[in-house]
Amino acid sequence: DADVTQTPRNRITKTGKRIMLECSQTKGHDRMYWYRQDPGLGLRLIYYSFDVKDINKGEISDGYSVSRQAQAKFSLSLESAIPNQTALYFCATSDSRGVSYEQYFGPGTRLTVT
Amino acid sequence: SQKIEQNSEALNIQEGKTATLTCNYTNYSPAYLQWYRQDPGRGPVFLLLIRENEKEKRKERLKVTFDTTLKQSLFHITASQPADSATYLCAPYSGGYQKVTFGTGTKLQVIP
């Protein structure tokens, strides 16, 4: 089974709808991240959490909110989706005790807002 | 503000040659620099980390250098193969409670 899972994998929604993307991990990592990726813009950090009680805004948090329900779960919400939020969204995890600080990414959620 | 630059143009090389990708950063003094590989539609996969006190790091056919004076890292793939075709991302990192910032990546195409 995959260590970092994301649901749904694909989603088409209409402008103004509320949508939640979910991320779960079995790696036992304390840190979790949400990124979006757009062609030519690379990976941009939306929110990150260094432990269950810690939530931080990334570089593009406007229009998004997150919830860290447990160490293993980190959800991203779009309160009122707009077309320019159409993108590929990735969840990632890392271990603060790791020696290489590597991030493990989920398979991604392709979101289309019409 | 921090800026990370990777060659946005795709790099095309012949199979068997050495590919060299560049990562430059400004307004930044990272203690570590990571390199990731990303295939189309998939999440990035970690390849290597190099520390500021390491000039060079090797892993199989991969070699990474880190020049803190030039604020640059070079990523080399020797004896390149078509399977090495992917986008490669660099990610400087200061450590601790700092977040990792990713470059936009360089797309490598190895031609048989």
Side-chain angles (χ1 to χ4, degrees):
Chain A
D1 288 341
D3 295 319
V4 183
T5 57
Q6 293 183 232
T7 55
R9 294 292 314 279
N10 289 282
R11 180 73 183 267
I12 300 173
T13 192
K14 293 186 183 297
T15 297
K17 294 291 188 182
R18 184 178 189 276
I19 183 169
M20 178 181 288
L21 308 183
E22 299 187 344
C23 177
S24 294
Q25 52 116 346
T26 58
K27 299 193 72 67
H29 289 172
D30 50 345
R31 299 182 173 186
M32 297 187 74
Y33 311 82
W34 275 105
Y35 294 91
R36 68 176 277 177
Q37 189 169 41
D38 302 273
L41 294 178
L43 281 168
R44 292 184 291 168
L45 184 62
I46 306 172
Y47 271 96
Y48 60 105
S49 169
F50 281 167
D51 64 45
V52 174
K53 297 180 181 179
D54 176 72
I55 300 288
N56 303 284
K57 292 182 177 181
E59 56 185 303
I60 54 162
S61 58
D62 287 348
Y64 302 94
S65 62
V66 291
S67 172
R68 185 86 183 262
Q69 301 95 320
Q71 186 182 40
K73 295 184 182 297
F74 194 34
S75 300
L76 176 72
S77 294
L78 287 67
E79 297 301 327
S80 179
I82 56 177
N84 78 358
Q85 292 178 314
T86 293
L88 185 55
Y89 289 83
F90 288 105
C91 172
T93 73
S94 68
D95 185 351
S96 62
R97 302 158 300 174
V99 297
S100 61
Y101 312 107
E102 63 186 281
Q103 295 196 14
Y104 292 82
F105 284 79
T109 294
R110 189 168 294 279
L111 176 67
T112 302
V113 183
T114 61
Chain B
S1 61
Q2 298 171 355
K3 191 173 181 182
I4 303 164
E5 291 183 343
Q6 293 188 257
N7 197 339
S8 58
E9 294 184 11
L11 177 64
N12 297 317
I13 65 164
Q14 210 69 34
E15 182 177 5
K17 300 292 185 184
T18 296
T20 298
L21 285 65
T22 304
C23 175
N24 295 298
Y25 56 91
T26 55
N27 299 323
Y28 208 168
S29 296
Y32 313 92
L33 200 141
Q34 301 174 337
W35 282 90
Y36 289 78
R37 169 185 172 138
Q38 186 175 23
D39 292 288
R42 303 175 73 96
V45 175
F46 173 81
L47 296 174
L48 278 172
L49 172 131
I50 187 166
R51 294 174 170 78
E52 61 180 343
N53 61 351
E54 298 175 317
K55 295 300 181 187
E56 181 180 297
K57 195 81 167 280
R58 291 176 185 261
K59 179 182 177 182
E60 298 173 351
R61 293 184 296 111
L62 308 181
K63 185 179 87 171
V64 172
T65 62
F66 192 9
D67 189 325
T68 55
T69 301
L70 291 179
K71 294 187 178 293
Q72 180 182 80
S73 176
L74 299 179
F75 178 84
H76 306 271
I77 305 176
T78 59
S80 59
Q81 304 166 0
D84 295 327
S85 299
T87 296
Y88 292 86
L89 310 173
C90 72
Y93 177 51
S94 296
Y97 288 93
Q98 299 303 308
K99 60 187 186 300
V100 174
T101 303
F102 287 86
T104 53
T106 298
K107 184 174 181 178
L108 173 66
Q109 186 79 28
V110 181
I111 303 163

